[in-house]
Amino acid sequence: MGERLILGVGLSSGADAQALLALALAVLDEGERKAAELASIVSLERRIGHPALRALAMALDCPLLGYPAERLAGARVPTPSMRVEELVGVASVAEAAALEAAGRGALLLVGKRRASHLTCALAHGDGIDPEDGFSSGPRN
């Protein structure tokens, strides 16, 4: 499996689709990457149905994967949040999900960036098995 570029996303129920798209594009730009290079967008499994997250996947033409919080709970992340850990059991959804999905040799290219009700992080690595997690389906 080749190198994969992964966008991790954390969001609350009040997240806005336009704000998420703007943050995601800013993170990609900071990492000097293009949306077309993304292998997947990842977040918590329970957020996969969020309209902002689904709109982002459609706008970037990218598959969406979700992980249960338990799977991401032990991840070592550079910018943990005690508040997020109290609420969802994960110290940083965006970073933890991106690193998990990037697989072996995962490297965080852009650490967690925040906007209102949102976080995004960008990682790359050797990748994951597409069946290893919840998938909303192939690229549109």
Side-chain angles (χ1 to χ4, degrees):
M1 193 170 288
E3 181 180 87
R4 296 173 58 92
L5 186 66
I6 308 293
L7 181 70
V9 176
L11 70 164
S12 71
S13 58
D16 175 75
Q18 291 289 343
L20 178 55
L21 178 59
L23 180 61
L25 292 175
V27 166
L28 285 164
D29 188 54
E30 184 178 342
E32 300 180 352
R33 301 300 180 105
K34 305 278 187 226
E37 296 176 71
L38 283 173
S40 62
I41 298 168
V42 294
S43 189
L44 284 175
E45 187 175 56
R46 71 186 213 189
R47 290 290 188 211
I48 290 299
H50 192 288
L53 200 51
R54 288 201 140 336
L56 178 66
M58 288 187 67
L60 299 182
D61 189 26
C62 194
L64 186 56
L65 297 174
Y67 291 111
E70 302 79 38
R71 179 154 174 189
L72 304 178
R76 296 183 59 139
V77 293
T79 54
S81 166
M82 288 177 37
R83 175 82 173 132
V84 171
E85 191 161 18
E86 288 172 5
L87 292 172
V88 297
V90 177
S92 172
V93 173
E95 290 175 341
L99 289 168
E100 177 69 20
R104 292 183 314 271
L107 175 66
L108 206 55
L109 297 176
V110 179
K112 179 172 58 179
R113 300 296 183 256
R114 295 178 184 92
S116 180
H117 303 285
L118 304 164
T119 58
C120 286
L122 189 64
H124 73 88
D126 293 340
I128 58 168
D129 178 341
E131 301 300 316
D132 190 19
F134 173 85
S135 175
S136 66
R139 290 180 186 264
N140 296 325

